[in-house]
Amino acid sequence: MECRVCKGAGAATSWLEWIVYSLALIVLFLAVPFPVEARKIFYAACGLAAIGWALDRKRPDNAVLFLLTALAIFALYRVAHTVMEAGTFYPKIDAWQVYLSTANRFLMGLLLIGYLSTRSQLFHERRVRVLCVALMLGLIVTGAYELFLQADRGDREQRATIFAYEVVAVFFAYLGLQLTRQRNEKKFWPLQALIGLLALGIVLRTETRMALLCFFIGGALLLILSERVRKWKVLGVATLVGAMVVAGCYPYLVKPRLMEACNDITQYASGENRATSIGTRFELWRGSVLAFEQSPITGGGYQQRVEILGKAVAQHQLDPVASHYSRVNMHNEMLEELSLRGAVGGVLLLWLYFAVAALGWRAAPRNLALLGVLFAYVFSGLTDVLFFSREATVLFIALLAVLVRSSPPKPLTPRSEV
């Protein structure tokens, strides 16, 4: 009788964790093609996670606590810095709302990550399979949305660059999970190849150059880090197939963007036109250094950056395009932090990256999915700012929440095989 009571009590208290986990999977399913709907569900999942965590009061392990601390301090510093600048934002630019909203998403995500990290039963092999299916279906829905419903690069809810990097992040999560858990290679690789080709097709469709590089470099690194016996053969085949796909799309999707990049660099170097896609980034990076030099420790904030870049434009040190984008972001994650929040902001960003990397690297077996997601966001940070995007922040938090303990236990090696 006592055992039945215990089992009944356990079943009665487990329904909340399954709801939270299921909502997190739905967020991943909708995050890229339908970010607004995913954001609403994200709020619900975080709210329920707060209730669940308050009820059971379980403590995450030290590695997860290190990550949660990094996330909390990074978000709280952003909140404090933004609040101190109250009244300095231009009405037409929603930077005030962006910085506070992204920080708010990080703080809400702490609850989701912390709560799910304490529920070890959610990360057993069968649940990881469900997560793989959710990620796979998310890519399929995203592919249908991008390849068939969107006629133009600018005709979407999110910018093409953000859209492409989110697809890469979801695919790396899927690839990392499969490399970690899959044991039957004959059944594994055909499906993986189809999903990889779908993700590659979406990235090509967005015509985002850096995302294409991220796709190939990150995918190769995940295969190299895996423990598969045939990984070099698989890597060679994957590279060959990917090269063939890129070659087939080269005249229509790749060549125009490469020619545009060459023209941008040539025009920038000659001084003919600095307001191109690449030229604008060069000007913003130069401007961010100027802003950082004025307030190197804690940063001068949004308004000071606008004034510094505006003055540099007036003195013909920067192209006028820098003055416009100074009210948006610097198109580099680290330079965005340094130009707004100084070295403190830059160190906190590096701490966040390190905490995720440490959690993924020290797992047994290594959490390739978590490392893949981190790579996608760090790589995108070279030429863009994903944490300026409220929807990309939601995806990042949701992926961390479901991947933080997703690596299945490492199987014991039989004594006879040692």
Side-chain angles (χ1 to χ4, degrees):
M1 178 65 68
E2 183 177 353
C3 293
R4 291 181 180 179
V5 171
C6 292
K7 291 181 179 179
T13 57
S14 65
W15 64 270
L16 187 58
E17 65 193 49
W18 290 114
I19 292 178
V20 174
Y21 188 71
S22 299
L23 289 177
L25 296 184
I26 295 173
V27 170
L28 296 181
F29 180 78
L30 299 175
V32 186
F34 309 109
V36 175
E37 289 75 11
R39 179 182 63 200
K40 297 175 182 177
I41 299 173
F42 173 77
Y43 292 156
C46 292
L48 290 176
I51 297 173
W53 209 2
L55 290 175
D56 63 24
R57 300 181 182 179
K58 289 186 177 180
R59 178 181 179 273
D61 57 41
N62 291 334
V64 176
L65 279 177
F66 184 68
L67 170 61
L68 296 180
T69 303
L71 283 167
I73 295 178
F74 177 78
L76 290 174
Y77 182 68
R78 175 174 285 207
V79 170
H81 212 285
T82 306
V83 171
M84 290 174 63
E85 297 182 75
T88 66
F89 294 92
Y90 286 83
K92 294 183 180 180
I93 303 296
D94 66 340
W96 165 265
Q97 295 180 353
V98 167
Y99 294 130
L100 280 183
S101 295
T102 52
N104 177 56
R105 282 158 173 75
F106 275 115
L107 293 175
M108 294 180 68
L110 288 174
L111 302 170
L112 185 62
I113 296 170
Y115 179 61
L116 291 183
S117 69
T118 64
R119 325 308 293 178
S120 60
Q121 64 272 23
L122 294 174
F123 299 97
H124 291 170
E125 177 66 15
R126 291 183 180 179
R127 279 73 181 186
V128 174
R129 291 180 187 175
V130 175
L131 173 58
C132 287
V133 172
L135 292 169
M136 178 181 65
L137 292 178
L139 286 170
I140 292 173
V141 172
T142 299
Y145 175 81
E146 173 65 16
L147 299 176
F148 301 107
L149 300 181
Q150 299 296 306
D152 184 75
R153 287 186 86 233
D155 185 24
R156 50 175 63 89
E157 292 184 70
Q158 302 188 81
R159 291 188 295 114
T161 51
I162 301 295
F163 191 97
Y165 281 117
E166 288 180 326
V167 169
V168 174
V170 173
F171 173 67
F172 283 175
Y174 175 77
L175 176 62
L177 286 172
Q178 294 286 33
L179 288 173
T180 301
R181 60 170 285 274
Q182 192 68 39
R183 289 170 174 77
N184 191 331
E185 294 190 7
K186 292 182 180 180
K187 295 181 179 180
F188 164 67
W189 291 115
L191 178 61
Q192 184 60 56
L194 290 175
I195 298 301
L197 289 173
L198 173 63
L200 176 59
I202 299 172
V203 173
L204 285 169
R205 170 72 170 163
T206 64
E207 303 176 40
T208 306
R209 293 164 293 210
M210 287 294 287
L212 187 61
L213 287 176
C214 181
F215 182 90
F216 282 111
I217 296 174
L221 288 175
L222 288 179
L223 283 168
I224 292 172
L225 290 174
S226 71
E227 298 180 355
R228 296 194 166 276
V229 177
R230 302 178 183 178
K231 61 185 177 184
W232 295 109
K233 179 180 179 181
V234 174
L235 178 59
V237 173
T239 302
L240 178 61
V241 174
M244 293 174 61
V245 173
V246 172
C249 300
Y250 181 80
Y252 314 102
L253 299 177
V254 180
K255 182 178 179 180
R257 296 290 286 166
L258 289 178
M259 295 299 296
E260 182 181 334
C262 293
N263 290 334
D264 287 357
I265 295 174
T266 300
Q267 292 179 27
Y268 183 85
S270 65
E272 177 184 350
N273 182 11
R274 295 179 181 270
T276 60
S277 176
I278 295 179
T280 297
R281 285 173 167 80
F282 290 160
E283 292 295 278
L284 290 173
W285 297 345
R286 291 176 57 213
S288 64
V289 173
L290 294 176
F292 173 69
E293 290 174 345
Q294 294 296 317
S295 300
I297 305 301
T298 58
Y302 177 83
Q303 181 60 25
Q304 179 175 305
R305 186 176 73 181
V306 171
E307 293 175 354
I308 291 173
L309 269 66
K311 183 178 180 181
V313 169
Q315 295 175 350
H316 304 290
Q317 295 178 329
L318 294 175
D319 189 90
V321 70
S323 181
H324 168 72
Y325 278 98
S326 67
R327 304 177 184 182
V328 186
N329 65 70
M330 296 290 100
H331 281 69
N332 179 284
E333 199 78 66
M334 178 57 68
L335 292 178
E336 172 76 2
E337 287 298 319
L338 294 175
S339 64
L340 282 179
R341 292 172 280 272
V344 175
V347 169
L348 293 180
L349 177 64
L350 290 177
W351 183 14
L352 171 60
Y353 288 156
F354 175 77
V356 179
L359 189 63
W361 190 266
R362 295 174 182 175
R366 194 166 292 148
N367 194 328
L368 297 180
L370 200 60
L371 294 176
V373 171
L374 176 64
F375 180 85
Y377 273 77
V378 172
F379 195 94
S380 72
L382 298 176
T383 57
D384 220 306
V385 182
L386 262 65
F387 293 151
F388 186 81
S389 167
R390 288 161 284 190
E391 315 312 339
T393 303
V394 166
L395 176 63
F396 180 72
I397 292 295
L399 285 170
L400 291 187
V402 297
L403 296 174
V404 67
R405 293 185 59 178
S406 61
S407 294
K410 197 169 186 175
L412 296 176
T413 304
R415 187 176 299 273
S416 60
E417 295 179 11
V418 176

